[in-house]
Amino acid sequence: MSDTPKAAPLLDIGAVQHIRKLVMFALGAASFSVLLFSHSLWPDANEDGLHEIIETIGFGLLLVAIIGRTWSSLYIGGRKKSEVVALGPYSICRNPLYVFSFIGAAGAGAQFGNVTAALAATLLTVLVFSIVVRKEERFLSEKFGEPYLAYKARVPRFIPNFRLWQNVSTLEINTHLVVRTFLDACVFLAAIPLAEGVEMAQAQGWLPVLWLVP
């Protein structure tokens, strides 16, 4: 019987992502339950008012998030567990998919016409993904060793450094994963009818407004 110690198994990155999605869903549901009884400090009757401006900016952020996550998936789709991806958006930031999720969260919160919801949604998303990223970094460090550690030391985690940009003229794309990422990102758009539905219910008196937020 061999006394050679067995290597610790690599972290199950798929399980981490599954838990992350469950946590995000739970936090989203909890946040939405709070937003049911809050309303923007600024009235929404005036189309040129601050309420509508915040919603419009938020819609732009939603589009940026969807396009950005789809663009990032062109580079990472199907490669995350097999190689260190360091091209395109991954040459300037180690987690561009997550950065665009932060932007999407801000856009989703902004659909309620106030900055508070946008900031709260962003901070909650950053908190959850920061925990996930640490676990992913452990997995990637164990799997790829020095190449990943060098990449980690060179490229920032979230804040892009555009001076590091690198790209290639041709890229092999996993269309199935790209389409799936695009469809997943489109879930952010659900914030629009949800916010409009809450505002309509509040206007009709079906939902009480317990507090106003800026």
Side-chain angles (χ1 to χ4, degrees):
M1 186 174 181
S2 174
D3 294 328
T4 303
K6 294 182 179 180
L10 292 176
L11 182 70
D12 186 347
I13 205 70
V16 171
Q17 289 296 335
H18 180 67
I19 293 173
R20 185 262 300 174
K21 291 179 180 179
L22 291 176
V23 171
M24 289 301 300
F25 177 81
L27 288 175
S31 300
F32 180 69
S33 65
V34 173
L35 291 170
L36 285 174
F37 307 104
S38 64
H39 194 275
S40 173
L41 184 63
W42 301 286
D44 51 357
N46 184 358
E47 293 184 358
D48 297 324
L50 191 54
H51 184 283
E52 294 298 327
I53 291 174
I54 293 173
E55 287 186 355
T56 301
I57 293 174
F59 179 70
L61 294 177
L62 293 177
L63 294 181
V64 169
I66 293 170
I67 295 171
R69 283 186 58 85
T70 305
W71 173 52
S72 299
S73 72
L74 297 176
Y75 291 83
I76 196 69
R79 300 184 179 91
K80 189 168 187 174
K81 296 182 181 180
S82 60
E83 62 181 280
V84 177
V85 179
L87 295 171
Y90 289 88
S91 66
I92 60 176
C93 169
R94 298 203 306 272
N95 302 282
L97 278 168
Y98 296 165
V99 172
F100 285 113
S101 290
F102 303 158
I103 295 173
Q111 295 311 302
F112 290 86
N114 63 81
V115 177
T116 302
L119 289 176
T122 305
L123 290 175
L124 284 174
T125 306
V126 170
L127 175 62
V128 172
F129 278 98
S130 294
I131 297 172
V132 170
V133 162
R134 286 183 173 85
K135 295 183 179 297
E136 289 186 342
E137 288 176 349
R138 192 182 79 189
F139 166 82
L140 295 170
S141 298
E142 292 175 354
K143 184 172 181 62
F144 298 112
E146 187 56 38
Y148 176 74
L149 294 176
Y151 169 70
K152 181 181 177 183
R154 184 178 76 255
V155 180
R157 176 183 285 167
F158 291 133
I159 301 175
N161 182 349
F162 295 97
R163 293 175 297 177
L164 299 175
W165 175 263
Q166 297 179 30
N167 208 353
V168 289
S169 57
T170 59
L171 187 67
E172 184 177 348
I173 298 172
N174 187 319
T175 55
H176 171 72
L177 292 178
V178 171
V179 171
R180 189 172 72 180
T181 300
F182 168 76
L183 295 176
D184 287 345
C186 286
V187 172
F188 283 121
L189 295 174
I192 298 174
L194 285 176
E196 292 298 322
V198 169
E199 290 179 2
M200 182 184 71
Q202 291 174 347
Q204 296 295 325
W206 301 336
L207 287 173
V209 177
L210 302 181
W211 49 79
L212 299 175
V213 291

